[in-house]
Amino acid sequence: PAMEKKPEWLKVRYNQDAVNEVAELMRDLKLNTVCKEANCPNLGECYRKHTSTFMILGSICTRNCRFCNVATGHPLPPDPEEPMNVAKAAKKLGLRHVVLTCSTRDDLPDGGAEQFARTVRAIREKCPGVTVETLISDMKMNTDALDVVIAAHPEVLNHNVETVKELQGAVRPQASYERSLSVLRYCKEKDSTLLTKTGFMVGLGE
């Protein structure tokens, strides 16, 4: 039988001009987005709306989670110009809410916390009134590092648990369900005014 026609609302419009515009801006400022590095299928739709999630600390991760498309290897040192370049991109795109995520940097003593804080401060300087969400790694539950991010006071502090406890070993073997919960608990107890957030994927057999 003929395949049933998909409804219009299910179709994603891929806007190549918008993709090229945002991609060119990111290249010029030497920035990465998780949209591109994680090969997100919604990239075209988000770029059309001038929306992207900045991935700071480079495009190479020190962990190898099974669900992620980001390259694993030996990353370069943090780019000192990256915080201000993120702020410039946010201003150019007219963003009202900026989401910062990162490649996990187990090679850095602070897990990249200072780069997060510097980027939050740069956005506040360049884009007054813009809210910031930091999607952090677990930073190996280094409380000194977490304190650095908390002190920058992003409006939202996000750390993804990703999946249920029983699937952690298969999905994110270098992370820990308990450690992720400890990160979220510590951040909220340290500053109760922070909006804390997490995320789960579904469809992995949970």
Side-chain angles (χ1 to χ4, degrees), residues 44-66:
E45 182 179 3
C46 292
Y47 278 16
R48 178 174 56 82
K49 298 176 181 177
H50 278 189
T51 300
S52 64
T53 297
F54 297 100
M55 190 170 84
I56 65 173
L57 294 162
S59 61
I60 300 175
C61 187
T62 54
R63 296 188 191 177
N64 186 21
C65 297
R66 303 292 185 261

PDB file of all heavy atoms in Angstrom, residues 44-66:
ATOM      1  N   GLY A  44      18.658  23.289  11.399  1.00  0.00           N
ATOM      2  CA  GLY A  44      18.110  24.239  10.434  1.00  0.00           C
ATOM      3  C   GLY A  44      16.991  25.076  11.009  1.00  0.00           C
ATOM      4  O   GLY A  44      16.923  26.286  10.796  1.00  0.00           O
ATOM      5  N   GLU A  45      16.093  24.441  11.767  1.00  0.00           N
ATOM      6  CA  GLU A  45      14.966  25.151  12.365  1.00  0.00           C
ATOM      7  C   GLU A  45      15.446  26.170  13.399  1.00  0.00           C
ATOM      8  O   GLU A  45      14.979  27.311  13.439  1.00  0.00           O
ATOM      9  CB  GLU A  45      14.021  24.145  13.016  1.00  0.00           C
ATOM     10  CG  GLU A  45      12.792  24.780  13.639  1.00  0.00           C
ATOM     11  CD  GLU A  45      11.860  23.757  14.259  1.00  0.00           C
ATOM     12  OE1 GLU A  45      12.204  22.561  14.260  1.00  0.00           O
ATOM     13  OE2 GLU A  45      10.792  24.171  14.740  1.00  0.00           O
ATOM     14  N   CYS A  46      16.399  25.754  14.243  1.00  0.00           N
ATOM     15  CA  CYS A  46      16.886  26.655  15.296  1.00  0.00           C
ATOM     16  C   CYS A  46      17.688  27.812  14.713  1.00  0.00           C
ATOM     17  O   CYS A  46      17.535  28.955  15.132  1.00  0.00           O
ATOM     18  CB  CYS A  46      17.737  25.882  16.299  1.00  0.00           C
ATOM     19  SG  CYS A  46      16.784  24.692  17.269  1.00  0.00           S
ATOM     20  N   TYR A  47      18.554  27.511  13.748  1.00  0.00           N
ATOM     21  CA  TYR A  47      19.344  28.582  13.137  1.00  0.00           C
ATOM     22  C   TYR A  47      18.440  29.584  12.432  1.00  0.00           C
ATOM     23  O   TYR A  47      18.743  30.776  12.396  1.00  0.00           O
ATOM     24  CB  TYR A  47      20.360  27.999  12.157  1.00  0.00           C
ATOM     25  CG  TYR A  47      21.632  27.484  12.799  1.00  0.00           C
ATOM     26  CD1 TYR A  47      21.712  27.246  14.169  1.00  0.00           C
ATOM     27  CD2 TYR A  47      22.758  27.222  12.030  1.00  0.00           C
ATOM     28  CE1 TYR A  47      22.874  26.767  14.741  1.00  0.00           C
ATOM     29  CE2 TYR A  47      23.935  26.741  12.602  1.00  0.00           C
ATOM     30  CZ  TYR A  47      23.984  26.519  13.954  1.00  0.00           C
ATOM     31  OH  TYR A  47      25.138  26.049  14.520  1.00  0.00           O
ATOM     32  N   ARG A  48      17.334  29.119  11.868  1.00  0.00           N
ATOM     33  CA  ARG A  48      16.385  30.034  11.215  1.00  0.00           C
ATOM     34  C   ARG A  48      15.833  31.032  12.226  1.00  0.00           C
ATOM     35  O   ARG A  48      15.545  32.190  11.893  1.00  0.00           O
ATOM     36  CB  ARG A  48      15.243  29.232  10.584  1.00  0.00           C
ATOM     37  CG  ARG A  48      14.166  30.085   9.926  1.00  0.00           C
ATOM     38  CD  ARG A  48      13.144  29.230   9.189  1.00  0.00           C
ATOM     39  NE  ARG A  48      12.519  28.242  10.055  1.00  0.00           N
ATOM     40  CZ  ARG A  48      11.491  28.505  10.871  1.00  0.00           C
ATOM     41  NH1 ARG A  48      10.990  29.726  10.949  1.00  0.00           N
ATOM     42  NH2 ARG A  48      10.972  27.544  11.599  1.00  0.00           N
ATOM     43  N   LYS A  49      15.710  30.608  13.483  1.00  0.00           N
ATOM     44  CA  LYS A  49      15.203  31.483  14.547  1.00  0.00           C
ATOM     45  C   LYS A  49      16.336  32.219  15.265  1.00  0.00           C
ATOM     46  O   LYS A  49      16.112  32.823  16.309  1.00  0.00           O
ATOM     47  CB  LYS A  49      14.410  30.656  15.553  1.00  0.00           C
ATOM     48  CG  LYS A  49      13.175  29.978  14.974  1.00  0.00           C
ATOM     49  CD  LYS A  49      12.497  29.099  16.014  1.00  0.00           C
ATOM     50  CE  LYS A  49      11.280  28.395  15.433  1.00  0.00           C
ATOM     51  NZ  LYS A  49      10.666  27.475  16.424  1.00  0.00           N
ATOM     52  N   HIS A  50      17.547  32.129  14.712  1.00  0.00           N
ATOM     53  CA  HIS A  50      18.726  32.734  15.346  1.00  0.00           C
ATOM     54  C   HIS A  50      18.917  32.191  16.759  1.00  0.00           C
ATOM     55  O   HIS A  50      19.201  32.935  17.703  1.00  0.00           O
ATOM     56  CB  HIS A  50      18.613  34.253  15.360  1.00  0.00           C
ATOM     57  CG  HIS A  50      19.024  34.880  14.061  1.00  0.00           C
ATOM     58  ND1 HIS A  50      19.186  36.227  13.895  1.00  0.00           N
ATOM     59  CD2 HIS A  50      19.326  34.335  12.863  1.00  0.00           C
ATOM     60  CE1 HIS A  50      19.554  36.487  12.650  1.00  0.00           C
ATOM     61  NE2 HIS A  50      19.651  35.342  12.010  1.00  0.00           N
ATOM     62  N   THR A  51      18.761  30.885  16.888  1.00  0.00           N
ATOM     63  CA  THR A  51      18.930  30.214  18.176  1.00  0.00           C
ATOM     64  C   THR A  51      20.023  29.165  18.042  1.00  0.00           C
ATOM     65  O   THR A  51      20.078  28.432  17.060  1.00  0.00           O
ATOM     66  CB  THR A  51      17.617  29.518  18.595  1.00  0.00           C
ATOM     67  OG1 THR A  51      16.589  30.499  18.698  1.00  0.00           O
ATOM     68  CG2 THR A  51      17.770  28.815  19.930  1.00  0.00           C
ATOM     69  N   SER A  52      20.891  29.101  19.027  1.00  0.00           N
ATOM     70  CA  SER A  52      21.904  28.047  19.050  1.00  0.00           C
ATOM     71  C   SER A  52      22.386  27.860  20.473  1.00  0.00           C
ATOM     72  O   SER A  52      22.227  28.750  21.313  1.00  0.00           O
ATOM     73  CB  SER A  52      23.091  28.391  18.137  1.00  0.00           C
ATOM     74  OG  SER A  52      23.755  29.535  18.623  1.00  0.00           O
ATOM     75  N   THR A  53      22.949  26.702  20.758  1.00  0.00           N
ATOM     76  CA  THR A  53      23.540  26.441  22.059  1.00  0.00           C
ATOM     77  C   THR A  53      25.051  26.450  21.905  1.00  0.00           C
ATOM     78  O   THR A  53      25.618  25.600  21.217  1.00  0.00           O
ATOM     79  CB  THR A  53      23.069  25.077  22.622  1.00  0.00           C
ATOM     80  OG1 THR A  53      21.654  25.122  22.823  1.00  0.00           O
ATOM     81  CG2 THR A  53      23.741  24.786  23.948  1.00  0.00           C
ATOM     82  N   PHE A  54      25.692  27.431  22.526  1.00  0.00           N
ATOM     83  CA  PHE A  54      27.143  27.568  22.412  1.00  0.00           C
ATOM     84  C   PHE A  54      27.835  26.445  23.195  1.00  0.00           C
ATOM     85  O   PHE A  54      27.471  26.160  24.328  1.00  0.00           O
ATOM     86  CB  PHE A  54      27.596  28.919  22.958  1.00  0.00           C
ATOM     87  CG  PHE A  54      27.045  30.091  22.213  1.00  0.00           C
ATOM     88  CD1 PHE A  54      25.959  30.792  22.707  1.00  0.00           C
ATOM     89  CD2 PHE A  54      27.606  30.489  21.011  1.00  0.00           C
ATOM     90  CE1 PHE A  54      25.446  31.883  22.022  1.00  0.00           C
ATOM     91  CE2 PHE A  54      27.102  31.577  20.318  1.00  0.00           C
ATOM     92  CZ  PHE A  54      26.014  32.278  20.824  1.00  0.00           C
ATOM     93  N   MET A  55      28.826  25.834  22.558  1.00  0.00           N
ATOM     94  CA  MET A  55      29.613  24.805  23.225  1.00  0.00           C
ATOM     95  C   MET A  55      31.003  25.371  23.463  1.00  0.00           C
ATOM     96  O   MET A  55      31.799  25.485  22.529  1.00  0.00           O
ATOM     97  CB  MET A  55      29.681  23.523  22.390  1.00  0.00           C
ATOM     98  CG  MET A  55      30.278  22.360  23.170  1.00  0.00           C
ATOM     99  SD  MET A  55      30.113  20.781  22.325  1.00  0.00           S
ATOM    100  CE  MET A  55      31.534  20.851  21.247  1.00  0.00           C
ATOM    101  N   ILE A  56      31.270  25.749  24.706  1.00  0.00           N
ATOM    102  CA  ILE A  56      32.556  26.347  25.025  1.00  0.00           C
ATOM    103  C   ILE A  56      33.590  25.264  25.339  1.00  0.00           C
ATOM    104  O   ILE A  56      33.260  24.087  25.428  1.00  0.00           O
ATOM    105  CB  ILE A  56      32.439  27.355  26.187  1.00  0.00           C
ATOM    106  CG1 ILE A  56      32.024  26.654  27.485  1.00  0.00           C
ATOM    107  CG2 ILE A  56      31.449  28.458  25.834  1.00  0.00           C
ATOM    108  CD1 ILE A  56      32.052  27.566  28.713  1.00  0.00           C
ATOM    109  N   LEU A  57      34.832  25.684  25.455  1.00  0.00           N
ATOM    110  CA  LEU A  57      35.945  24.791  25.819  1.00  0.00           C
ATOM    111  C   LEU A  57      36.335  23.836  24.695  1.00  0.00           C
ATOM    112  O   LEU A  57      36.887  22.768  24.934  1.00  0.00           O
ATOM    113  CB  LEU A  57      35.626  24.009  27.104  1.00  0.00           C
ATOM    114  CG  LEU A  57      35.512  24.878  28.363  1.00  0.00           C
ATOM    115  CD1 LEU A  57      34.774  24.141  29.477  1.00  0.00           C
ATOM    116  CD2 LEU A  57      36.901  25.310  28.826  1.00  0.00           C
ATOM    117  N   GLY A  58      36.033  24.220  23.461  1.00  0.00           N
ATOM    118  CA  GLY A  58      36.474  23.435  22.319  1.00  0.00           C
ATOM    119  C   GLY A  58      35.490  22.380  21.863  1.00  0.00           C
ATOM    120  O   GLY A  58      34.470  22.137  22.501  1.00  0.00           O
ATOM    121  N   SER A  59      35.824  21.740  20.756  1.00  0.00           N
ATOM    122  CA  SER A  59      34.919  20.756  20.143  1.00  0.00           C
ATOM    123  C   SER A  59      35.344  19.317  20.406  1.00  0.00           C
ATOM    124  O   SER A  59      34.773  18.391  19.828  1.00  0.00           O
ATOM    125  CB  SER A  59      34.856  20.997  18.626  1.00  0.00           C
ATOM    126  OG  SER A  59      36.141  20.835  18.042  1.00  0.00           O
ATOM    127  N   ILE A  60      36.352  19.126  21.258  1.00  0.00           N
ATOM    128  CA  ILE A  60      36.832  17.778  21.566  1.00  0.00           C
ATOM    129  C   ILE A  60      36.595  17.491  23.043  1.00  0.00           C
ATOM    130  O   ILE A  60      36.981  18.285  23.906  1.00  0.00           O
ATOM    131  CB  ILE A  60      38.326  17.613  21.223  1.00  0.00           C
ATOM    132  CG1 ILE A  60      38.537  17.862  19.728  1.00  0.00           C
ATOM    133  CG2 ILE A  60      38.833  16.232  21.611  1.00  0.00           C
ATOM    134  CD1 ILE A  60      39.982  17.836  19.298  1.00  0.00           C
ATOM    135  N   CYS A  61      35.981  16.358  23.319  1.00  0.00           N
ATOM    136  CA  CYS A  61      35.600  15.972  24.681  1.00  0.00           C
ATOM    137  C   CYS A  61      36.569  14.925  25.212  1.00  0.00           C
ATOM    138  O   CYS A  61      37.109  14.113  24.455  1.00  0.00           O
ATOM    139  CB  CYS A  61      34.177  15.421  24.657  1.00  0.00           C
ATOM    140  SG  CYS A  61      33.480  15.082  26.284  1.00  0.00           S
ATOM    141  N   THR A  62      36.770  14.924  26.523  1.00  0.00           N
ATOM    142  CA  THR A  62      37.651  13.919  27.127  1.00  0.00           C
ATOM    143  C   THR A  62      36.905  12.647  27.508  1.00  0.00           C
ATOM    144  O   THR A  62      37.523  11.686  27.957  1.00  0.00           O
ATOM    145  CB  THR A  62      38.346  14.489  28.382  1.00  0.00           C
ATOM    146  OG1 THR A  62      37.355  14.996  29.283  1.00  0.00           O
ATOM    147  CG2 THR A  62      39.312  15.610  28.010  1.00  0.00           C
ATOM    148  N   ARG A  63      35.587  12.641  27.337  1.00  0.00           N
ATOM    149  CA  ARG A  63      34.798  11.438  27.633  1.00  0.00           C
ATOM    150  C   ARG A  63      34.198  10.890  26.344  1.00  0.00           C
ATOM    151  O   ARG A  63      34.159  11.564  25.321  1.00  0.00           O
ATOM    152  CB  ARG A  63      33.705  11.736  28.662  1.00  0.00           C
ATOM    153  CG  ARG A  63      34.267  12.149  30.009  1.00  0.00           C
ATOM    154  CD  ARG A  63      33.200  12.247  31.076  1.00  0.00           C
ATOM    155  NE  ARG A  63      33.720  12.879  32.279  1.00  0.00           N
ATOM    156  CZ  ARG A  63      32.996  13.141  33.358  1.00  0.00           C
ATOM    157  NH1 ARG A  63      31.700  12.837  33.377  1.00  0.00           N
ATOM    158  NH2 ARG A  63      33.550  13.725  34.413  1.00  0.00           N
ATOM    159  N   ASN A  64      33.707   9.677  26.426  1.00  0.00           N
ATOM    160  CA  ASN A  64      33.163   9.008  25.245  1.00  0.00           C
ATOM    161  C   ASN A  64      31.810   8.400  25.577  1.00  0.00           C
ATOM    162  O   ASN A  64      31.668   7.174  25.662  1.00  0.00           O
ATOM    163  CB  ASN A  64      34.132   7.924  24.755  1.00  0.00           C
ATOM    164  CG  ASN A  64      33.700   7.294  23.444  1.00  0.00           C
ATOM    165  OD1 ASN A  64      32.925   7.888  22.696  1.00  0.00           O
ATOM    166  ND2 ASN A  64      34.165   6.088  23.178  1.00  0.00           N
ATOM    167  N   CYS A  65      30.816   9.261  25.784  1.00  0.00           N
ATOM    168  CA  CYS A  65      29.469   8.774  26.077  1.00  0.00           C
ATOM    169  C   CYS A  65      28.876   8.137  24.826  1.00  0.00           C
ATOM    170  O   CYS A  65      29.042   8.647  23.718  1.00  0.00           O
ATOM    171  CB  CYS A  65      28.584   9.917  26.565  1.00  0.00           C
ATOM    172  SG  CYS A  65      29.165  10.652  28.109  1.00  0.00           S
ATOM    173  N   ARG A  66      28.170   7.047  25.008  1.00  0.00           N
ATOM    174  CA  ARG A  66      27.693   6.253  23.870  1.00  0.00           C
ATOM    175  C   ARG A  66      26.664   6.976  23.013  1.00  0.00           C
ATOM    176  O   ARG A  66      26.521   6.701  21.829  1.00  0.00           O
ATOM    177  CB  ARG A  66      27.080   4.936  24.382  1.00  0.00           C
ATOM    178  CG  ARG A  66      28.025   4.085  25.222  1.00  0.00           C
ATOM    179  CD  ARG A  66      29.170   3.516  24.396  1.00  0.00           C
ATOM    180  NE  ARG A  66      29.995   2.614  25.193  1.00  0.00           N
ATOM    181  CZ  ARG A  66      31.144   2.944  25.768  1.00  0.00           C
ATOM    182  NH1 ARG A  66      31.609   4.168  25.616  1.00  0.00           N
ATOM    183  NH2 ARG A  66      31.834   2.077  26.476  1.00  0.00           N
TER     184      ARG A  66
END
